[in-house]
Amino acid sequence: MIRRAFWFTAGAAAGVWATTKVNRQLKKLTPESLAAQAADKAIEAGHRLKDFALDVKSGMSQREDELNDALGLHQDPDVPANVTALPGPRRLRAIEHDQQDQNTYRSKATYNRNEDH
């Protein structure tokens, strides 16, 4: 009789344990729980993406400083850090057309682009 009571109690305990486990898993699979898990994962991914972007930005800034030092391009202290100086104006040579060049090439007035097609 004690054996039967032992096995009955062991079976009841196993049944309670299994039922509890199954109910916990079912609660994890409800739409609300899945939505909350997805939101948590999205927030976590957003934080990781933000950290990655900040790392890339700091790396870019560091590399830009290294390149500026290597090329001798130093920022003026009077100019704000977010404004980069443009290169100085370039001098363009005027193309002189003499009589020989005009005879060699077609003039723009007589050239029709549609004739090539």
Side-chain angles (χ1 to χ4, degrees):
M1 178 106 162
I2 295 178
R3 245 186 217 178
R4 287 184 187 178
F6 171 77
W7 288 114
F8 177 76
T9 307
V16 169
W17 177 80
T19 304
T20 306
K21 282 288 232 185
V22 168
N23 284 336
R24 284 183 188 166
Q25 292 298 326
L26 288 176
K27 284 182 183 179
K28 286 183 181 179
L29 296 176
T30 61
E32 296 85 14
S33 178
L34 291 176
Q37 288 175 7
D40 290 342
K41 294 289 184 183
I43 290 171
E44 182 182 330
H47 288 304
R48 282 187 283 165
L49 187 62
K50 180 183 173 186
D51 292 341
F52 174 73
L54 290 174
D55 289 343
V56 169
K57 187 175 180 180
S58 67
M60 285 181 1
S61 177
Q62 180 183 359
R63 182 64 178 149
E64 185 177 358
D65 291 341
E66 291 172 2
L67 290 174
N68 285 339
D69 289 342
L71 295 174
L73 302 173
H74 298 287
Q75 189 77 19
D76 289 336
D78 299 334
V79 179
N82 61 353
V83 177
T84 57
L86 296 175
R90 296 183 182 179
R91 300 174 79 191
L92 298 177
R93 284 189 268 159
I95 300 173
E96 297 178 9
H97 294 287
D98 58 5
Q99 202 64 312
Q100 294 174 350
D101 289 340
Q102 289 178 0
N103 291 337
T104 307
Y105 299 104
R106 294 186 213 171
S107 67
K108 291 182 180 180
T110 60
Y111 180 70
N112 186 357
R113 288 180 49 191
N114 292 330
E115 291 177 0
D116 293 341
H117 299 285

Short mmCIF file of all heavy atoms in Angstrom, two decimals, residues 5 30-31 33-34 41 43 50 53 56 65 67 75 78 83 89-90 96 102 104 106-110 112 114 117:
data_model
loop_
_atom_site.label_atom_id
_atom_site.label_comp_id
_atom_site.label_asym_id
_atom_site.label_seq_id
_atom_site.Cartn_x
_atom_site.Cartn_y
_atom_site.Cartn_z
N ALA A 5 0.88 4.43 -2.76
CA ALA A 5 0.80 5.84 -2.34
C ALA A 5 2.01 6.62 -2.85
O ALA A 5 1.89 7.77 -3.31
CB ALA A 5 0.70 5.94 -0.83
N THR A 30 1.34 33.60 -26.36
CA THR A 30 0.16 34.43 -26.60
C THR A 30 0.56 35.63 -27.44
O THR A 30 1.73 36.04 -27.43
CB THR A 30 -0.46 34.92 -25.28
OG1 THR A 30 0.51 35.70 -24.58
CG2 THR A 30 -0.94 33.76 -24.42
N PRO A 31 -0.36 36.20 -28.22
CA PRO A 31 -0.02 37.34 -29.07
C PRO A 31 0.57 38.53 -28.29
O PRO A 31 1.49 39.18 -28.76
CB PRO A 31 -1.35 37.72 -29.72
CG PRO A 31 -2.15 36.47 -29.70
CD PRO A 31 -1.74 35.74 -28.46
N SER A 33 2.27 38.44 -25.47
CA SER A 33 3.61 38.11 -25.05
C SER A 33 4.58 38.14 -26.22
O SER A 33 5.70 38.65 -26.09
CB SER A 33 3.64 36.73 -24.39
OG SER A 33 4.95 36.38 -24.02
N LEU A 34 4.16 37.63 -27.36
CA LEU A 34 5.02 37.67 -28.56
C LEU A 34 5.28 39.11 -28.99
O LEU A 34 6.40 39.45 -29.39
CB LEU A 34 4.38 36.87 -29.69
CG LEU A 34 4.34 35.36 -29.49
CD1 LEU A 34 3.60 34.70 -30.64
CD2 LEU A 34 5.74 34.79 -29.38
N LYS A 41 13.10 42.98 -28.33
CA LYS A 41 14.20 42.67 -29.27
C LYS A 41 14.47 43.85 -30.19
O LYS A 41 15.63 44.15 -30.51
CB LYS A 41 13.87 41.43 -30.10
CG LYS A 41 13.79 40.16 -29.30
CD LYS A 41 15.14 39.73 -28.83
CE LYS A 41 15.01 38.40 -28.10
NZ LYS A 41 16.27 37.94 -27.56
N ILE A 43 13.96 47.05 -29.52
CA ILE A 43 14.63 48.09 -28.74
C ILE A 43 16.10 47.73 -28.53
O ILE A 43 16.99 48.57 -28.67
CB ILE A 43 13.90 48.30 -27.39
CG1 ILE A 43 12.56 48.97 -27.64
CG2 ILE A 43 14.75 49.13 -26.44
CD1 ILE A 43 11.66 49.04 -26.42
N LYS A 50 22.55 51.90 -32.68
CA LYS A 50 22.99 53.24 -32.29
C LYS A 50 24.44 53.21 -31.83
O LYS A 50 25.24 54.08 -32.20
CB LYS A 50 22.09 53.76 -31.17
CG LYS A 50 22.47 55.14 -30.69
CD LYS A 50 21.57 55.57 -29.54
CE LYS A 50 22.05 56.87 -28.94
NZ LYS A 50 21.28 57.22 -27.75
N ALA A 53 26.62 52.88 -34.87
CA ALA A 53 26.72 54.13 -35.61
C ALA A 53 27.63 55.12 -34.91
O ALA A 53 28.42 55.83 -35.56
CB ALA A 53 25.32 54.73 -35.80
N VAL A 56 31.19 54.00 -35.57
CA VAL A 56 31.60 54.33 -36.93
C VAL A 56 31.88 55.82 -37.05
O VAL A 56 32.88 56.23 -37.65
CB VAL A 56 30.50 53.90 -37.93
CG1 VAL A 56 30.77 54.47 -39.31
CG2 VAL A 56 30.43 52.39 -38.01
N ASP A 65 40.96 63.00 -39.01
CA ASP A 65 42.02 63.77 -38.36
C ASP A 65 43.39 63.24 -38.75
O ASP A 65 44.32 64.02 -39.01
CB ASP A 65 41.86 63.73 -36.84
CG ASP A 65 40.64 64.50 -36.37
OD1 ASP A 65 40.14 65.35 -37.14
OD2 ASP A 65 40.19 64.24 -35.23
N LEU A 67 44.17 61.66 -41.54
CA LEU A 67 44.44 62.03 -42.93
C LEU A 67 44.75 63.52 -43.06
O LEU A 67 45.63 63.91 -43.83
CB LEU A 67 43.24 61.66 -43.81
CG LEU A 67 43.02 60.17 -44.02
CD1 LEU A 67 41.73 59.94 -44.78
CD2 LEU A 67 44.18 59.56 -44.77
N GLN A 75 42.82 72.60 -39.53
CA GLN A 75 41.64 73.46 -39.39
C GLN A 75 42.05 74.78 -38.74
O GLN A 75 42.79 74.79 -37.77
CB GLN A 75 40.58 72.74 -38.54
CG GLN A 75 39.26 73.41 -38.50
CD GLN A 75 38.46 73.17 -39.78
OE1 GLN A 75 38.75 72.25 -40.52
NE2 GLN A 75 37.50 74.01 -40.04
N ASP A 78 39.75 79.90 -36.14
CA ASP A 78 38.67 80.88 -36.29
C ASP A 78 37.44 80.28 -36.95
O ASP A 78 36.33 80.78 -36.77
CB ASP A 78 39.14 82.08 -37.13
CG ASP A 78 40.31 82.79 -36.46
OD1 ASP A 78 40.42 82.69 -35.22
OD2 ASP A 78 41.09 83.43 -37.17
N VAL A 83 32.54 73.44 -40.33
CA VAL A 83 32.67 74.10 -41.62
C VAL A 83 34.04 73.77 -42.17
O VAL A 83 35.05 74.00 -41.52
CB VAL A 83 32.50 75.63 -41.48
CG1 VAL A 83 32.71 76.31 -42.81
CG2 VAL A 83 31.15 75.96 -40.90
N PRO A 89 40.31 79.80 -55.39
CA PRO A 89 39.80 79.83 -56.76
C PRO A 89 40.88 79.41 -57.75
O PRO A 89 42.06 79.70 -57.58
CB PRO A 89 39.39 81.28 -56.96
CG PRO A 89 40.17 82.05 -55.95
CD PRO A 89 40.39 81.13 -54.81
N ARG A 90 40.47 78.74 -58.79
CA ARG A 90 41.40 78.29 -59.82
C ARG A 90 41.35 79.26 -60.99
O ARG A 90 40.30 79.82 -61.30
CB ARG A 90 41.05 76.88 -60.28
CG ARG A 90 41.19 75.86 -59.21
CD ARG A 90 40.89 74.51 -59.75
NE ARG A 90 40.98 73.52 -58.69
CZ ARG A 90 40.75 72.25 -58.86
NH1 ARG A 90 40.42 71.79 -60.04
NH2 ARG A 90 40.85 71.41 -57.85
N GLU A 96 41.37 80.36 -76.89
CA GLU A 96 41.31 81.30 -78.00
C GLU A 96 41.03 80.54 -79.29
O GLU A 96 41.63 79.52 -79.58
CB GLU A 96 42.64 82.05 -78.12
CG GLU A 96 42.95 82.89 -76.92
CD GLU A 96 44.29 83.57 -77.05
OE1 GLU A 96 44.88 83.53 -78.15
OE2 GLU A 96 44.74 84.15 -76.07
N GLN A 102 38.56 77.20 -86.26
CA GLN A 102 37.17 77.27 -86.69
C GLN A 102 36.96 76.51 -88.00
O GLN A 102 35.91 75.92 -88.22
CB GLN A 102 36.73 78.72 -86.85
CG GLN A 102 36.59 79.42 -85.52
CD GLN A 102 36.20 80.88 -85.68
OE1 GLN A 102 36.04 81.36 -86.79
NE2 GLN A 102 36.07 81.57 -84.55
N THR A 104 38.77 73.84 -88.87
CA THR A 104 39.00 72.43 -88.59
C THR A 104 37.78 71.78 -87.97
O THR A 104 37.41 70.66 -88.34
CB THR A 104 40.20 72.27 -87.64
OG1 THR A 104 41.30 72.96 -88.19
CG2 THR A 104 40.54 70.82 -87.47
N ARG A 106 33.64 71.67 -86.75
CA ARG A 106 32.34 72.19 -87.13
C ARG A 106 31.91 73.26 -86.14
O ARG A 106 32.14 73.13 -84.95
CB ARG A 106 31.29 71.09 -87.12
CG ARG A 106 31.51 70.03 -88.13
CD ARG A 106 30.32 69.12 -88.08
NE ARG A 106 30.75 67.77 -88.39
CZ ARG A 106 30.00 66.72 -88.27
NH1 ARG A 106 28.78 66.84 -87.82
NH2 ARG A 106 30.44 65.53 -88.57
N SER A 107 31.25 74.26 -86.61
CA SER A 107 30.73 75.27 -85.68
C SER A 107 29.48 74.72 -85.03
O SER A 107 28.79 73.87 -85.57
CB SER A 107 30.45 76.58 -86.41
OG SER A 107 29.38 76.40 -87.30
N LYS A 108 29.14 75.23 -83.89
CA LYS A 108 28.01 74.72 -83.14
C LYS A 108 26.69 75.02 -83.83
O LYS A 108 25.72 74.32 -83.65
CB LYS A 108 28.01 75.31 -81.73
CG LYS A 108 29.13 74.79 -80.89
CD LYS A 108 29.06 75.33 -79.50
CE LYS A 108 30.22 74.77 -78.69
NZ LYS A 108 30.22 75.27 -77.33
N ALA A 109 26.64 76.05 -84.62
CA ALA A 109 25.39 76.42 -85.28
C ALA A 109 24.99 75.41 -86.35
O ALA A 109 23.81 75.16 -86.57
CB ALA A 109 25.52 77.80 -85.88
N THR A 110 25.96 74.78 -87.01
CA THR A 110 25.63 73.85 -88.08
C THR A 110 25.57 72.41 -87.60
O THR A 110 25.17 71.53 -88.35
CB THR A 110 26.65 73.95 -89.22
OG1 THR A 110 27.94 73.65 -88.69
CG2 THR A 110 26.65 75.34 -89.82
N ASN A 112 24.09 69.27 -85.82
CA ASN A 112 22.80 68.81 -85.34
C ASN A 112 23.01 67.46 -84.69
O ASN A 112 23.42 66.51 -85.35
CB ASN A 112 21.80 68.72 -86.50
CG ASN A 112 20.39 68.39 -86.02
OD1 ASN A 112 20.18 68.16 -84.83
ND2 ASN A 112 19.46 68.35 -86.95
N ASN A 114 20.89 65.32 -83.73
CA ASN A 114 19.95 64.29 -84.19
C ASN A 114 20.43 63.58 -85.45
O ASN A 114 19.91 62.54 -85.79
CB ASN A 114 18.58 64.91 -84.41
CG ASN A 114 17.95 65.35 -83.11
OD1 ASN A 114 18.21 64.75 -82.07
ND2 ASN A 114 17.14 66.38 -83.17
N HIS A 117 21.87 59.95 -84.89
CA HIS A 117 21.03 58.85 -84.44
C HIS A 117 20.20 58.27 -85.53
O HIS A 117 19.69 58.72 -86.39
CB HIS A 117 20.11 59.30 -83.30
CG HIS A 117 20.90 59.76 -82.10
ND1 HIS A 117 21.54 58.90 -81.27
CD2 HIS A 117 21.19 61.00 -81.64
CE1 HIS A 117 22.16 59.57 -80.33
NE2 HIS A 117 21.97 60.85 -80.53
#
